[in-house]
Amino acid sequence: MFPTEKEFNTLEDFDYRGKTVLLRVDINCPLDKQTLKIVNDSRIRRVVPTVRELMGKNAKLVILAHQSRKGKWDFIGLRQHSEFLSRHINAPVKYVDDVIGKDAVEAIRSLKPGEVLLLGNVRGLDSETAKGDMEAHANGEIVNALAPLIDYYVCDAFGASHRSQCSLVGFQAKVPSASGRLMAKEMFALNAIFSEPRRPSVFILGGAKFGDVSDMIERVLGNGTADTVILVGLVGNAYLLARGVDIGQASSKILSEELTPENLQAAKDVMEKYGQKVLIPVDVAVERDGRRVSVNIGDMPTKEPALDIGDASAEKFAKVIRSSKTCFMSGPAGMIEKEDFAVGTRILMEAMVDSGGQSVIGGGHTGGAAERFDLADRFSYVSTGGGALETFLLGEPLPVIEALKYSKKKFGA
Ligand code: 3PG
């Protein structure tokens, strides 16, 4: 199920001295909605070892990354990201708000060994997100423009490794490629923990996206990776709805586009099949008169949206988690941006680290929340992946890893 490191090249496999290296990272960060400032830079910090190592090897380092996607409020350029990176590596990071145009090409050509350049948000180009496999993207405009300027391609974008997008899978067929340190570390850490989980193993699935959750439950309970699955956050609300609880219009509205009859049926089916192995909230927390109030599901619907699991659910789930030996949390239990509704997530995370077992978190802004609660260092592993982590756990191939394997076969090490 899990690829081994040497199926693809890693940083030590090439000599980068004086060479131009294109490094694709995932530094897609949560922003403040009002100021558009980065509120958590953990993904930037996590690629620093790779950046430093390549600088230390005197590569001319060109970094490519995305922030959000077109049409979303947090789709912005990467100047701020370059400033954060510069502070973390304690060296200048040049920034050019261009990816394949004249400015980018000139900036790449004038790089000196040991220097770092960050290009603009690659998702500004429609060709980046155009549907296509490795072969199609290998002939895309981004690869056509940049491949002739580089000697090596390194991918450290684990968080985006489930995406088959041009800058993630297109270069591997054109230039010798390797994974960065973070990518390799994620693959190994997750493999070590999930290939032989200690029992009981509990999966907490939360966050906002619930379209794939029934597949995920089927997979982890079906193959025995998990003994119990706990559903929280918007995922929990959706499963309450599938169970026949009237969660009210305000809560349903937030679920919007993923609230399809197929998804609800899949949720029902998986709950029926696995019974008590799938735990859903017994209460939710809403904001009433400016305060957090827990409401039992028997007293729903509420006119206010459910913003977190309620206190009784948090207590019930924490008990299960405390007696686990492996616990994985993907996505938060509530609206963690609001202190009162970060309560559920904090209680579950505290139970995870108190369990003394293997504990892994990832997804959405979960890593950032753990840092805010001062718990991040107490987990066995904090993954930078959200969708990528889920794809990995579902045992589905990650397009970036497949492309890296292809590159090794084509170019060797
Ligand atoms: C993420 O944050 O999960 C990655 O950066 C991928 O982003 P995407 O879901 O917009 O493709």
Side-chain angles (χ1 to χ4, degrees):
M1 169 181 175
F2 298 101
T4 55
E5 182 178 8
K6 284 309 176 188
E7 283 179 282
F8 50 86
N9 291 315
T10 50
L11 278 193
E12 58 276 6
D13 292 313
F14 299 115
D15 181 0
Y16 303 98
R17 265 172 305 177
K19 304 288 188 200
T20 304
V21 177
L22 181 67
L23 170 65
R24 175 63 159 102
V25 293
D26 183 351
I27 49 175
N28 187 13
C29 294
L31 309 181
D32 180 283
K33 208 163 185 170
Q34 259 80 49
T35 62
L36 296 184
K37 296 275 177 241
I38 293 173
V39 292
N40 185 288
D41 67 342
S42 60
R43 276 182 164 171
I44 300 178
R45 280 183 271 128
R46 298 289 291 277
V47 296
V48 164
T50 299
V51 173
R52 281 219 177 105
E53 191 170 334
L54 288 167
M55 285 170 73
K57 289 180 172 168
N58 270 326
K60 301 174 193 170
L61 190 55
V62 183
I63 305 182
L64 199 49
H66 71 276
Q67 170 67 40
S68 192
R69 51 179 65 213
K70 272 189 185 167
K72 289 196 158 186
W73 66 269
D74 53 347
F75 175 70
I76 58 168
L78 303 179
R79 185 172 299 281
Q80 254 192 100
H81 301 64
S82 71
E83 290 161 4
F84 272 81
L85 181 61
S86 169
R87 276 201 292 281
H88 291 308
I89 61 173
N90 202 16
V93 173
K94 297 182 179 176
Y95 178 69
V96 56
D97 199 22
D98 182 22
V99 180
I100 53 172
K102 198 167 144 272
D103 292 350
V105 172
E106 263 170 27
I108 294 170
R109 287 211 170 111
S110 58
L111 269 181
K112 298 192 176 51
E115 285 187 346
V116 184
L117 164 73
L118 177 64
L119 299 178
N121 187 343
V122 66
R123 286 192 179 166
L125 297 169
D126 292 335
S127 53
E128 168 68 359
T129 45
K131 281 215 173 347
D133 57 11
M134 194 170 77
E135 252 181 82
H137 284 311
N139 297 305
E141 61 170 353
I142 302 174
V143 177
N144 284 337
L146 299 183
L149 305 175
I150 63 172
D151 300 291
Y152 295 107
Y153 170 82
V154 173
C155 192
D156 217 14
F158 176 74
S161 59
H162 58 311
R163 302 289 183 214
S164 180
Q165 296 179 346
C166 189
S167 69
L168 291 158
V169 300
F171 286 95
Q172 288 89 330
K174 290 288 168 84
V175 286
S177 304
S179 80
R181 293 294 176 204
L182 175 64
M183 177 82 87
K185 192 172 164 183
E186 293 264 12
M187 301 300 279
F188 276 99
L190 298 170
N191 183 20
I193 289 164
F194 291 112
S195 57
E196 282 177 42
R198 284 156 56 196
R199 311 247 164 228
S201 163
V202 175
F203 271 49
I204 308 163
L205 306 181
K209 297 177 187 165
F210 78 95
D212 295 335
V213 166
S214 55
D215 287 346
M216 182 93 172
I217 297 173
E218 181 57 56
R219 171 88 189 182
V220 297
L221 287 177
N223 72 8
T225 309
D227 300 297
T228 305
V229 173
I230 295 174
L231 304 176
V232 294
L234 294 187
V235 173
N237 295 353
Y239 274 67
L240 283 171
L241 191 63
R243 180 56 71 77
V245 176
D246 182 356
I247 61 172
Q249 279 210 344
S251 296
S252 306
K253 213 170 134 199
I254 307 177
L255 299 171
S256 62
E257 65 194 48
E258 291 199 5
L259 203 55
T260 62
E262 295 76 33
N263 283 345
L264 283 177
Q265 189 57 47
K268 252 184 229 165
D269 293 346
V270 90
M271 281 191 283
E272 244 161 57
K273 181 167 176 189
Y274 290 105
Q276 280 312 302
K277 289 184 167 192
V278 180
L279 302 180
I280 58 176
V282 293
D283 62 351
V284 298
V286 300
E287 187 163 33
R288 198 166 282 168
D289 302 324
R291 282 190 325 115
R292 172 191 169 95
V293 176
S294 291
V295 180
N296 287 327
I297 56 167
D299 296 327
M300 292 186 84
T302 51
K303 63 175 189 312
E304 311 88 348
L307 300 181
D308 192 9
I309 52 171
D311 297 352
S313 305
E315 198 179 311
K316 176 180 166 181
F317 296 157
K319 217 165 147 190
V320 176
I321 294 164
R322 260 186 239 111
S323 57
S324 70
K325 292 277 180 290
T326 300
C327 190
F328 165 68
M329 178 190 243
S330 167
M335 197 189 238
I336 48 177
E337 301 79 12
K338 287 187 152 201
E339 210 50 56
D340 273 357
F341 300 96
V343 170
T345 306
R346 181 198 286 263
I347 291 175
L348 301 191
M349 284 188 177
E350 281 169 353
M352 284 178 79
V353 297
D354 286 349
S355 73
Q358 295 169 320
S359 51
V360 180
I361 59 169
H365 303 326
T366 322
E371 284 181 2
R372 222 171 79 213
F373 305 150
D374 219 7
L375 293 172
D377 294 344
R378 296 180 59 201
F379 288 96
S380 314
Y381 192 67
V382 178
S383 174
T384 55
L389 179 56
E390 288 180 6
T391 308
F392 185 88
L393 290 172
L394 282 170
E396 288 168 15
L398 292 166
V400 169
I401 298 293
E402 296 310 303
L404 287 172
K405 287 190 210 166
Y406 175 85
S407 193
K408 177 163 178 157
K409 277 200 197 112
K410 181 163 179 183
F411 297 103

mmCIF file of all heavy atoms in Angstrom, residues 26 28 43 66 68-69 72 123 159-160 162-163 165 209 386-388, ligand 1:
data_model
loop_
_atom_site.group_PDB
_atom_site.id
_atom_site.type_symbol
_atom_site.label_atom_id
_atom_site.label_comp_id
_atom_site.label_asym_id
_atom_site.label_seq_id
_atom_site.Cartn_x
_atom_site.Cartn_y
_atom_site.Cartn_z
ATOM 1 N N ASP A 26 4.331 23.122 -0.998
ATOM 2 C CA ASP A 26 2.952 23.499 -0.665
ATOM 3 C C ASP A 26 3.013 24.411 0.551
ATOM 4 O O ASP A 26 3.143 23.957 1.684
ATOM 5 C CB ASP A 26 2.105 22.259 -0.357
ATOM 6 C CG ASP A 26 0.646 22.640 -0.081
ATOM 7 O OD1 ASP A 26 0.357 23.853 0.028
ATOM 8 O OD2 ASP A 26 -0.201 21.735 0.033
ATOM 9 N N ASN A 28 0.620 26.747 0.975
ATOM 10 C CA ASN A 28 -0.749 27.268 0.997
ATOM 11 C C ASN A 28 -1.117 27.473 2.472
ATOM 12 O O ASN A 28 -1.199 26.512 3.222
ATOM 13 C CB ASN A 28 -1.621 26.188 0.343
ATOM 14 C CG ASN A 28 -3.049 26.608 0.124
ATOM 15 O OD1 ASN A 28 -3.385 27.781 0.222
ATOM 16 N ND2 ASN A 28 -3.903 25.633 -0.165
ATOM 17 N N ARG A 43 3.324 25.549 7.347
ATOM 18 C CA ARG A 43 3.735 24.870 6.111
ATOM 19 C C ARG A 43 5.015 25.486 5.537
ATOM 20 O O ARG A 43 5.808 24.791 4.898
ATOM 21 C CB ARG A 43 2.615 24.934 5.070
ATOM 22 C CG ARG A 43 1.590 23.834 5.268
ATOM 23 C CD ARG A 43 0.539 23.895 4.202
ATOM 24 N NE ARG A 43 -0.231 22.666 4.136
ATOM 25 C CZ ARG A 43 -1.316 22.527 3.395
ATOM 26 N NH1 ARG A 43 -1.759 23.522 2.656
ATOM 27 N NH2 ARG A 43 -1.971 21.389 3.375
ATOM 28 N N HIS A 66 1.615 27.472 -4.680
ATOM 29 C CA HIS A 66 0.289 28.051 -4.899
ATOM 30 C C HIS A 66 -0.257 28.572 -3.572
ATOM 31 O O HIS A 66 0.206 28.184 -2.503
ATOM 32 C CB HIS A 66 -0.676 27.010 -5.473
ATOM 33 C CG HIS A 66 -1.069 25.950 -4.479
ATOM 34 N ND1 HIS A 66 -0.295 24.833 -4.231
ATOM 35 C CD2 HIS A 66 -2.140 25.850 -3.656
ATOM 36 C CE1 HIS A 66 -0.882 24.084 -3.313
ATOM 37 N NE2 HIS A 66 -2.002 24.674 -2.937
ATOM 38 N N SER A 68 -4.237 28.924 -2.321
ATOM 39 C CA SER A 68 -5.655 28.772 -2.634
ATOM 40 C C SER A 68 -5.871 28.526 -4.135
ATOM 41 O O SER A 68 -5.017 27.945 -4.798
ATOM 42 C CB SER A 68 -6.433 29.982 -2.112
ATOM 43 O OG SER A 68 -7.807 29.738 -2.160
ATOM 44 N N ARG A 69 -7.002 28.964 -4.644
ATOM 45 C CA ARG A 69 -7.251 28.821 -6.084
ATOM 46 C C ARG A 69 -8.165 29.935 -6.570
ATOM 47 O O ARG A 69 -8.854 30.559 -5.768
ATOM 48 C CB ARG A 69 -7.818 27.447 -6.416
ATOM 49 C CG ARG A 69 -9.018 27.037 -5.578
ATOM 50 C CD ARG A 69 -9.542 25.680 -5.988
ATOM 51 N NE ARG A 69 -8.594 24.611 -5.727
ATOM 52 C CZ ARG A 69 -8.467 23.518 -6.483
ATOM 53 N NH1 ARG A 69 -9.223 23.383 -7.558
ATOM 54 N NH2 ARG A 69 -7.619 22.566 -6.173
ATOM 55 N N LYS A 72 -11.466 32.056 -5.031
ATOM 56 C CA LYS A 72 -11.594 32.004 -3.568
ATOM 57 C C LYS A 72 -11.003 33.275 -2.957
ATOM 58 O O LYS A 72 -10.066 33.859 -3.506
ATOM 59 C CB LYS A 72 -10.874 30.780 -3.023
ATOM 60 C CG LYS A 72 -11.586 29.473 -3.359
ATOM 61 C CD LYS A 72 -11.065 28.377 -2.476
ATOM 62 C CE LYS A 72 -12.027 27.234 -2.358
ATOM 63 N NZ LYS A 72 -11.561 26.258 -1.383
ATOM 64 N N ARG A 123 -1.132 29.014 -9.491
ATOM 65 C CA ARG A 123 -2.535 28.809 -9.858
ATOM 66 C C ARG A 123 -3.155 30.035 -10.520
ATOM 67 O O ARG A 123 -4.324 30.022 -10.886
ATOM 68 C CB ARG A 123 -3.344 28.368 -8.641
ATOM 69 C CG ARG A 123 -3.056 26.925 -8.281
ATOM 70 C CD ARG A 123 -4.032 26.385 -7.286
ATOM 71 N NE ARG A 123 -3.753 24.997 -6.966
ATOM 72 C CZ ARG A 123 -4.285 24.361 -5.941
ATOM 73 N NH1 ARG A 123 -5.113 25.005 -5.123
ATOM 74 N NH2 ARG A 123 -4.010 23.105 -5.708
ATOM 75 N N GLY A 159 1.420 18.222 0.799
ATOM 76 C CA GLY A 159 0.038 18.680 0.992
ATOM 77 C C GLY A 159 -0.773 18.739 -0.293
ATOM 78 O O GLY A 159 -1.999 18.714 -0.261
ATOM 79 N N ALA A 160 -0.087 18.821 -1.420
ATOM 80 C CA ALA A 160 -0.795 18.905 -2.705
ATOM 81 C C ALA A 160 -0.532 17.666 -3.560
ATOM 82 O O ALA A 160 -0.858 17.647 -4.750
ATOM 83 C CB ALA A 160 -0.356 20.161 -3.454
ATOM 84 N N HIS A 162 -1.894 14.953 -3.842
ATOM 85 C CA HIS A 162 -3.062 14.226 -4.382
ATOM 86 C C HIS A 162 -3.614 14.939 -5.607
ATOM 87 O O HIS A 162 -4.603 14.505 -6.181
ATOM 88 C CB HIS A 162 -4.156 14.108 -3.314
ATOM 89 C CG HIS A 162 -4.637 15.424 -2.760
ATOM 90 N ND1 HIS A 162 -3.774 16.400 -2.318
ATOM 91 C CD2 HIS A 162 -5.885 15.931 -2.591
ATOM 92 C CE1 HIS A 162 -4.472 17.439 -1.895
ATOM 93 N NE2 HIS A 162 -5.748 17.183 -2.059
ATOM 94 N N ARG A 163 -2.995 16.049 -5.999
ATOM 95 C CA ARG A 163 -3.455 16.803 -7.162
ATOM 96 C C ARG A 163 -2.611 16.470 -8.391
ATOM 97 O O ARG A 163 -1.382 16.506 -8.320
ATOM 98 C CB ARG A 163 -3.342 18.321 -6.896
ATOM 99 C CG ARG A 163 -4.129 18.800 -5.694
ATOM 100 C CD ARG A 163 -5.607 18.762 -5.961
ATOM 101 N NE ARG A 163 -6.372 19.286 -4.839
ATOM 102 C CZ ARG A 163 -7.563 18.830 -4.474
ATOM 103 N NH1 ARG A 163 -8.122 17.847 -5.138
ATOM 104 N NH2 ARG A 163 -8.199 19.359 -3.461
ATOM 105 N N GLN A 165 -1.713 18.200 -11.011
ATOM 106 C CA GLN A 165 -1.638 19.523 -11.642
ATOM 107 C C GLN A 165 -0.264 19.722 -12.257
ATOM 108 O O GLN A 165 0.699 19.043 -11.889
ATOM 109 C CB GLN A 165 -1.977 20.604 -10.600
ATOM 110 C CG GLN A 165 -3.419 20.432 -10.126
ATOM 111 C CD GLN A 165 -3.882 21.420 -9.069
ATOM 112 O OE1 GLN A 165 -3.079 22.109 -8.460
ATOM 113 N NE2 GLN A 165 -5.187 21.463 -8.850
ATOM 114 N N LYS A 209 -15.029 18.966 4.636
ATOM 115 C CA LYS A 209 -15.345 18.193 3.427
ATOM 116 C C LYS A 209 -15.819 16.801 3.825
ATOM 117 O O LYS A 209 -15.069 16.049 4.441
ATOM 118 C CB LYS A 209 -14.107 18.083 2.546
ATOM 119 C CG LYS A 209 -13.619 19.443 2.047
ATOM 120 C CD LYS A 209 -12.350 19.294 1.245
ATOM 121 C CE LYS A 209 -11.778 20.667 0.901
ATOM 122 N NZ LYS A 209 -10.395 20.591 0.433
ATOM 123 N N GLY A 386 -3.802 17.469 4.036
ATOM 124 C CA GLY A 386 -5.234 17.389 4.325
ATOM 125 C C GLY A 386 -5.791 16.338 3.385
ATOM 126 O O GLY A 386 -5.784 15.140 3.675
ATOM 127 N N GLY A 387 -6.196 16.792 2.204
ATOM 128 C CA GLY A 387 -6.695 15.868 1.177
ATOM 129 C C GLY A 387 -5.646 14.826 0.822
ATOM 130 O O GLY A 387 -5.969 13.653 0.585
ATOM 131 N N ALA A 388 -4.377 15.255 0.807
ATOM 132 C CA ALA A 388 -3.303 14.318 0.448
ATOM 133 C C ALA A 388 -3.208 13.195 1.472
ATOM 134 O O ALA A 388 -3.046 12.022 1.129
ATOM 135 C CB ALA A 388 -1.972 15.060 0.368
HETATM 136 C C1 3PG B 1 -4.232 21.854 0.622
HETATM 137 O O1 3PG B 1 -4.238 22.861 1.325
HETATM 138 O O2 3PG B 1 -4.872 20.822 0.912
HETATM 139 C C2 3PG B 1 -3.338 21.828 -0.572
HETATM 140 O O3 3PG B 1 -2.588 22.986 -0.682
HETATM 141 C C3 3PG B 1 -4.143 21.587 -1.824
HETATM 142 O O4 3PG B 1 -5.030 22.629 -2.000
HETATM 143 P P1 3PG B 1 -6.364 22.423 -2.873
HETATM 144 O O5 3PG B 1 -7.291 21.581 -2.042
HETATM 145 O O6 3PG B 1 -6.886 23.806 -3.139
HETATM 146 O O7 3PG B 1 -5.965 21.719 -4.130
#
